[in-house]
Amino acid sequence: MCAAREGRWGRRQRALLCCVLVAAWEAAWGQLRYSVPEELPKGSFVGDVAKDLALQLPALRDRGARVVSADRTQYFALHANSGHLVTAERLDREQLCDGVQRCVLRCEVIVEGEMKIYRIEVEITDINDNAPSFREAEKELRMSEMTPAGSRFPLIEARDLDVGVNSLQSYELSGDEHFSLSVQAGADGEKRPELVLAKALDREEAAFHELVLRASDGGEPSRTGTARIRVSVLDANDNAPVFSQAVYAVRVPEDVPVGSTLVTLTATDADDGLNSDMKYLFEKITDKGLKIFHLDPETGSIRLLRSLDFEEEDSYEMEVHARDTGELFDTALVTISVSDVNDNAPEISVRSALSEISEDAPPGTVVALLHVQDRDSGANGEVRCSIAESVPFRLERELDNYYSVVTSRELDREEVSEYNVTVWASDGGSPSLRSSAVLALRVLDVNDNAPVFAEARYSARLPENNAEGALVLTVRAWDADWGQNARVRYRLAEGRVRGAPLSSYVSVQAETGALYALRSFDYEEVREVGLCVRAEDGGAPALSSNVSVRLLIVDENDNAPQVLYPPASAAGAGWTGVELAPRSAEPGALVAKVVAVDADAGQNAWLSYELAKATEPGLFRVGLHSGEVRTARSPLARDAPRHSLVVVVKDQGRPALSATATLTVVLAESVAELLSELGSAAAPAEPGGSLTRWLVLAVAAVSCLFVAFLLLLLALRLRRWRRSQLLPPASGALRGVPASHFVGIDGVRAFLHSYSHEVSLTADSRKSQRRWAADSCCNTLPARPPPDKAAPLLGEDAAGARGAPPDALPVSQSLRTPRRPPSRLLPPFPLIAFASVFCFPSRCPRMISPY
């Protein structure tokens, strides 16, 4: 136990010792003192330890604090969250500190983290929870009637467990004028009561004296304890019994409980001993009264044997004798009147009633006839009937004690399908009694309600590419009517979607209202379908209602991104394009922009771009959301002139779909350099592929055309030269050729002399020459002397030419071709091949000709 018990010292000694202890403790420790009243419930607040000791709550929780005491029972506890000291048990001062004036409980608070101990004293103050009590509740004293006045007799003492003003303070005596009370103070301060005989006793006057001794404390409110004191006066038949009154009149209610004592007759006999013994008996009473009442022969009390009923008998009269052993008696008249009690509730009888009524019955329709009565009399028999105002019925009085129940307004079966009409009948008694009768009435249905949908409008989300016959949603409508009138069927209202009937897209199940998709929807074609569903009941005539349904097609990621730029290649395997990037481009310079679109919507159409493959990974970068291809750094001299970039375009769907675009970026300062680089790199671009085969065929074809062109050109040159050798000049004569070498054929002169010569051609026309053989001339005409030797041709020494006659025209002069620059004769073969193979309208926007 956590309490320190103090002995009964003097006040000065206690005060002095307390002051010394307080001074010593406060000097050494620093402790807390609290005071709480006793009988506090468990968990009651005692004091704020954390605040009074200046302890921080987080430190108190983290380091751990608890309350300990030397006793086994812990009367206090510490809340770590609040730092409050509270009671852990109910505190009873009388149990903890019995007989001690000041009750103090001591305990310690230990903070384990700091290893500190704080002492706490809690004083338990007294409350007035105990009343004074006597060890004996009754005390009997015997006194002779000859005892002189002023005699004293000690009485039992009372004890109070409380202390201070709540303890015993005074005694009081009541009950008789023959005795008085005297209170004496003992050496220890206790009060001792004494009984003092104030007046002489007379046994014939009173043989016993009943006294009450009351002890009181000083609490607020004051508590008391009592003890009964019986004084018997000790006493020589000469007296008859005498009733205390000649007539006993009693009025009892009819509902008095069986076994109750209605009246007690009292008779006295002045004699003593056996001469004073008496018996009570009925002298005159009816047979009915004997069954109802019982007279106790010893005590004279009349008890009830069975219940009284005012409606059967309202009064009883009887005579009673009191006889002693000497057969002396006295007579008393007893009258018992029975007063009416409202013990009969009104009775309601249903004479006629309907069990069914149509809901369209007009107001005033009679539903039932009732008969009401009450067996009581007077106000207790007056009956009032009523019906609850919440039901559509009212009461109408027809004849004496008859009422009719009629409808007060139109009925609605959908609101209430069955009525249990309660009719109440109340009498005028106090308290009033009432009874009730219940009329069960079923309301028959009329088709007066159209179906009502559960929602004002419906909407559903259906993913595209749904399966045919997929359930979209279920519409539900309720009809408040009953039976066939409440049977609901559903159907679609007429409508069209994209020119097609609505019934080809969705259908509704007639019984359940389930909507099914009849075809697979495509979000890119149809994004929303609006329709109307009609619900119709089975009444006659049928009633219906409509509801709108909005079907939203939810996009799915079923379309991959489409690249608009660069445009699609002819092979269709991907996307390609050629872009020019100057070698002097700065970092971040725009090279190209990949443009793509997605036919889906929402997140499925959000596109992102990333560079999947590059010839030089660090040279270019692609904007994540813009698709712009920019230089990541400045091109270096060591960077390859031609770069291939593969850009992946992804959407944000799940799973994500993607497309690729291939860009060819050429680092060049001009278009000519761009074309040259593309031409030189075209052949090995795809070795072994179909493109290479076509390129080889194109080069071969161009080469063949070039060779054919050269041959044709050479043939034309030779032909012109030959004409110049055979035909005369414009004057009509060919110098150096005899006339015999020509023959006339239809007026045309033909040259019959043939020559054999050798022609050498080079790429440079200035070095071409022809050599004549001397013996190669063959005449077919008659022989003539050979002409003079002609001048040298095509590259022979000019001196030989100067020896020719001035009037003769050298044949070589007629064969010479005017001199041209070498570059103007034939275009370079690689450029012609490139122009034939690579320059297509979609790939070369401008064709630069070297001519």
Side-chain angles (χ1 to χ4, degrees), residues 253-262 291-294 302-309:
E254 63 177 335
D255 60 347
V256 64
V258 175
S260 299
T261 299
L262 303 182
K291 297 178 181 179
I292 297 176
F293 304 102
H294 170 71
I302 299 177
R303 293 185 297 108
L304 189 62
L305 295 178
R306 71 176 192 180
S307 300
L308 299 175
D309 190 357

Side-chain angles (χ1 to χ4, degrees), residues 499-518:
L502 179 62
S503 57
S504 64
Y505 282 82
V506 293
S507 66
V508 61
Q509 215 284 332
E511 299 295 335
T512 63
L515 268 73
Y516 297 93
L518 299 181

Side-chain angles (χ1 to χ4, degrees), residues 830-850:
L831 184 59
I832 295 177
F834 170 75
S836 303
V837 176
F838 289 96
C839 291
F840 298 102
S842 61
R843 304 177 66 170
C844 292
R846 293 190 306 272
M847 180 63 190
I848 301 176
S849 174

Side-chain angles (χ1 to χ4, degrees), residues 194-483:
E194 292 181 349
L195 183 65
V196 179
L197 181 60
K199 184 179 178 181
L201 300 176
D202 186 359
R203 187 181 181 285
E204 283 73 27
E205 181 181 349
F208 301 92
H209 296 270
E210 300 288 342
L211 306 176
V212 176
L213 179 62
R214 179 179 289 105
S216 303
D217 61 19
E220 286 293 331
S222 177
R223 291 177 175 267
T224 61
T226 60
R228 302 182 67 85
I229 301 174
R230 181 183 180 89
V231 179
S232 300
V233 181
L234 301 177
D235 181 48
N237 185 355
D238 55 350
N239 298 296
V242 177
F243 282 100
S244 60
Q245 58 190 68
V247 177
Y248 291 88
V250 179
R251 177 174 290 273
V252 295
E254 63 177 335
D255 60 347
V256 64
V258 175
S260 299
T261 299
L262 303 182
V263 63
T264 300
L265 308 180
T266 304
T268 59
D269 194 332
D271 297 329
D272 191 13
L274 296 176
N275 296 327
S276 63
D277 292 338
M278 295 179 299
K279 291 186 179 295
Y280 300 90
L281 52 92
F282 283 123
E283 181 64 20
K284 185 179 180 181
I285 189 174
T286 62
D287 295 336
K288 187 177 181 180
L290 285 175
K291 297 178 181 179
I292 297 176
F293 304 102
H294 170 71
L295 175 63
D296 191 329
E298 299 296 333
T299 62
S301 61
I302 299 177
R303 293 185 297 108
L304 189 62
L305 295 178
R306 71 176 192 180
S307 300
L308 299 175
D309 190 357
F310 174 81
E311 288 71 25
E312 294 180 2
E313 192 74 34
D314 58 350
S315 65
Y316 300 90
E317 192 174 89
M318 61 204 75
E319 291 181 359
V320 178
H321 282 182
R323 294 178 182 270
D324 61 9
T325 57
E327 293 299 317
L328 299 177
F329 67 91
D330 192 12
T331 303
L333 179 65
V334 179
T335 303
I336 299 176
S337 300
V338 180
S339 60
D340 182 48
V341 175
N342 190 24
D343 58 344
N344 292 284
E347 298 175 357
I348 303 176
S349 300
V350 180
R351 302 302 191 201
S352 179
L354 298 178
S355 61
E356 297 178 350
I357 184 173
S358 177
E359 66 175 333
D360 59 350
T365 302
V366 178
V367 175
L369 288 175
L370 308 177
H371 178 266
V372 182
Q373 67 175 2
D374 194 330
R375 295 178 59 203
D376 292 328
S377 60
N380 296 333
E382 296 178 0
V383 179
R384 296 181 300 274
C385 295
S386 62
I387 290 181
E389 296 180 357
S390 59
V391 296
F393 301 95
R394 69 175 187 271
L395 284 172
E396 293 181 357
R397 189 153 190 170
E398 298 292 334
L399 299 173
D400 293 340
N401 300 331
Y402 273 91
Y403 293 86
S404 62
V405 180
V406 299
T407 58
S408 59
R409 55 182 172 84
E410 293 182 355
L411 304 178
D412 189 0
R413 195 210 66 84
E414 289 70 37
E415 182 179 352
V416 180
S417 60
E418 292 184 359
Y419 288 94
N420 290 323
V421 183
T422 303
V423 180
W424 293 97
S426 304
D427 59 21
S430 180
S432 177
L433 298 180
R434 65 177 185 171
S435 60
S436 62
V438 178
L439 304 175
L441 190 62
R442 186 164 62 94
V443 182
L444 300 179
D445 183 62
V446 174
N447 190 27
D448 56 348
N449 292 277
V452 177
F453 284 92
E455 298 180 20
R457 59 185 59 86
Y458 288 86
S459 63
R461 302 172 68 87
L462 179 66
E464 66 173 334
N465 304 320
N466 58 285
E468 295 183 0
L471 176 65
V472 178
L473 82 160
T474 301
V475 297
R476 294 192 180 276
W478 284 266
D479 196 320
D481 293 325
W482 182 82

Side-chain angles (χ1 to χ4, degrees), residues 746-768:
D746 296 333
V748 178
R749 299 177 68 186
F751 183 60
L752 301 179
H753 190 80
S754 62
Y755 296 87
S756 175
H757 55 273
E758 187 176 336
V759 179
S760 296
L761 297 175
T762 64
D764 191 351
S765 60
R766 291 174 297 176
K767 296 181 181 181
S768 300

Side-chain angles (χ1 to χ4, degrees), residues 643-844:
H643 295 267
S644 177
L645 306 180
V646 178
V647 179
V648 177
V649 185
K650 292 183 179 180
D651 57 23
Q652 302 300 317
R654 293 187 179 181
L657 301 179
S658 62
T660 60
T662 302
L663 290 171
T664 299
V665 180
V666 177
L667 300 178
E669 296 296 335
S670 64
V671 176
E673 186 178 352
L674 168 67
L675 297 177
S676 176
E677 179 59 28
L678 290 178
S680 62
E686 293 186 15
S690 60
L691 180 60
T692 303
R693 290 194 296 271
W694 283 107
L695 290 176
V696 171
L697 293 176
V699 170
V702 171
S703 300
C704 293
L705 290 176
F706 179 71
V707 172
F709 174 77
L710 291 179
L711 294 176
L712 179 62
L713 182 61
L714 180 60
L716 293 176
R717 290 289 184 103
L718 291 176
R719 183 178 181 184
R720 289 180 59 187
W721 176 80
R722 185 163 183 159
R723 280 187 177 182
S724 64
Q725 295 294 326
L726 296 178
L727 297 178
S731 60
L734 180 63
R735 295 179 180 271
V737 179
S740 62
H741 287 188
F742 293 87
V743 62
I745 301 174
D746 296 333
V748 178
R749 299 177 68 186
F751 183 60
L752 301 179
H753 190 80
S754 62
Y755 296 87
S756 175
H757 55 273
E758 187 176 336
V759 179
S760 296
L761 297 175
T762 64
D764 191 351
S765 60
R766 291 174 297 176
K767 296 181 181 181
S768 300
Q769 64 181 357
R770 182 181 62 181
R771 181 173 300 172
W772 298 90
D775 58 349
S776 63
C777 181
C778 180
N779 297 324
T780 60
L781 296 177
R784 295 283 307 269
D788 297 335
K789 190 175 181 178
L793 298 175
L794 300 175
E796 292 186 2
D797 192 358
R802 286 193 297 267
D807 57 348
L809 177 64
V811 177
S812 61
Q813 187 177 359
S814 65
L815 294 176
R816 286 183 181 175
T817 305
R819 296 182 61 185
R820 297 178 182 177
S823 61
R824 303 296 292 176
L825 292 177
L826 293 174
F829 169 73
L831 184 59
I832 295 177
F834 170 75
S836 303
V837 176
F838 289 96
C839 291
F840 298 102
S842 61
R843 304 177 66 170
C844 292

Side-chain angles (χ1 to χ4, degrees), residues 135-156:
R135 288 188 177 91
E136 298 177 15
E138 293 185 1
K139 178 68 175 178
E140 184 176 359
L141 299 176
R142 293 177 178 271
M143 298 182 186
S144 173
E145 62 181 347
M146 302 303 293
T147 302
S151 300
R152 292 175 177 267
F153 304 91
L155 299 175
I156 56 177

